[in-house]
Amino acid sequence: MDFAPTEEQAAAQGLAARIFGDLSTHERLVVAGTGTDTELWKELCAAGLPGAVEEIGLLGLVLLLEEQGRTTAQVPFASTCVYGLLAVAGHGTEEQRERLLPRFRDGAAVATGAFPAAGAVRAGSEGGLSGTVPLVPWLREATHVLVAAADRSLWIVRTSDAGVLTEHVETTAPWSAGRLVLDGAPGERLGGAAAGAGAYEEILATARTAFAGLQAGVCAGAVARAVEYTGTREQFGRPLSTNQGVLLRAADAHMDTEAIRVTAYEAAWLHDRSLPCAAQALTAAWWASEAGKRVVHAVQHLHGGTGADLDHPVHRHFLWGRQLDAYLGCGSEVLQELGELLVEEGSQ
């Protein structure tokens, strides 16, 4: 495997790093609160970064999401790319691609996903969808939701349609999350009547990989803040970073971050080559959940009393890390699913 980015992927990552670095500042994040930074989102779309994902693949998206995670930028980049662009491009009908992809590329439409399927939503005989999904990220900004029904069929739902109710939900992280309530809501089958089998599993693996990449960026940004703080904060006449305990804690956080990154890269690399990647996506999700939680706790601890300040930038990394941990699923649940998958593959 060669995870070295292509020229196109490196260029897109560099552009993303510049835009996120310039516009996703602590001051702007405070103003954005739990909503989207609309100016930043417009800038990303004007630069063509969402649309570029169709060309640079899932590994390219992971690289872009790392840059978002470093700054905890308040934009629905991951959800729109995973549940909108890549889902429709990979599994939509020709008509769906022509109608929806241009709107996702230019930011006129925002997508999110009611995933994974947990028996909460059912499709009626007339095509109407009913059920409740307790937590959907970026729901209040979304114009379209990719809903996974109990039978793992996939439906595109417009949030403006009758029978669709979005309720505000407070989470630990400043995402504009919500509760999705469907009451006979009209749904458009992804891929139409001829929808192929395996779309649900492929999109779920894509989502796990992408959000693991986002967690890698959150952790990398958190570790960078810890390095800066402990290198300049002095105690007893010397920087905190010269203490062995601090060095070991920071080194562990760095290694955990690298484990999240490399497992996300592996899953994305396999996906882009149309190779089986469900187990690797679960592995990336497990590392992002378990190791991500360790990293953000360690970084907050390394900041001492400053880390307990709710207004300090490092606290935002802590909140994002914990929320991504919850969204990806607790480590034991992910590990159980991975074990069951490996047993199933081994028996075939």
Side-chain angles (χ1 to χ4, degrees), residues 78 89 178 202 216 319 336 348:
E202 193 271 334
L319 295 179
Q336 179 179 350
Q348 292 177 351

Side-chain angles (χ1 to χ4, degrees), residues 106-172:
D106 64 17
V110 172
T112 189
F115 267 65
V121 177
R122 298 187 180 277
S125 57
E126 301 299 322
L129 300 170
S130 297
T132 300
V133 183
L135 181 68
V136 179
W138 298 107
L139 180 60
R140 282 181 288 148
E141 265 74 20
T143 58
H144 296 75
V145 184
L146 184 63
V147 177
D151 61 358
R152 298 192 172 185
S153 59
L154 301 176
W155 303 83
I156 302 170
V157 173
R158 293 184 301 182
T159 56
S160 60
D161 282 343
V164 181
L165 176 64
T166 61
E167 301 174 345
H168 175 67
V169 173
E170 292 286 351
T171 67
T172 56

Side-chain angles (χ1 to χ4, degrees), residues 9 20 57 78 93 107 112 119 126 136 143 162 164 183 190 218 241 243 261 266 284 289 291 304 311-312 321 344:
Q9 289 170 339
F20 284 126
T93 64
T112 189
E126 301 299 322
V136 179
T143 58
V164 181
D183 184 11
L190 180 66
V218 170
S241 59
N243 295 319
R261 176 182 289 117
E266 180 185 16
S289 176
D311 296 324
H312 194 278
E344 180 182 345

Side-chain angles (χ1 to χ4, degrees), residues 263-282:
T263 51
Y265 284 6
E266 180 185 16
W269 188 91
L270 291 169
H271 173 276
D272 289 344
R273 284 153 183 77
S274 300
L275 296 172
C277 62
Q280 287 76 12
L282 279 165

Side-chain angles (χ1 to χ4, degrees), residues 62 75 91 102 116 165 174-176 179 210 231 257 264 275 297 299 319 330:
V62 167
V75 287
H91 303 281
L165 176 64
W175 296 349
S176 55
R179 180 183 296 106
T257 301
L275 296 172
H297 274 272
V299 167
L319 295 179
C330 77

Side-chain angles (χ1 to χ4, degrees), residues 47-107:
L49 286 175
V53 171
E54 297 171 75
E55 301 298 327
I56 62 178
L58 183 54
L59 181 55
L61 175 58
V62 167
L63 294 172
L64 300 184
L65 292 176
E66 277 193 77
E67 300 305 327
Q68 178 186 358
R70 290 179 199 276
T71 60
T72 60
Q74 288 286 107
V75 287
F77 196 88
S79 64
T80 295
C81 289
V82 169
Y83 300 119
L85 279 161
L86 293 180
V88 173
H91 303 281
T93 64
E94 185 64 31
E95 188 276 332
Q96 287 171 339
R97 290 195 292 269
E98 291 178 357
R99 171 166 45 91
L100 293 173
L101 290 180
R103 301 191 65 213
F104 289 137
R105 292 179 190 128
D106 64 17

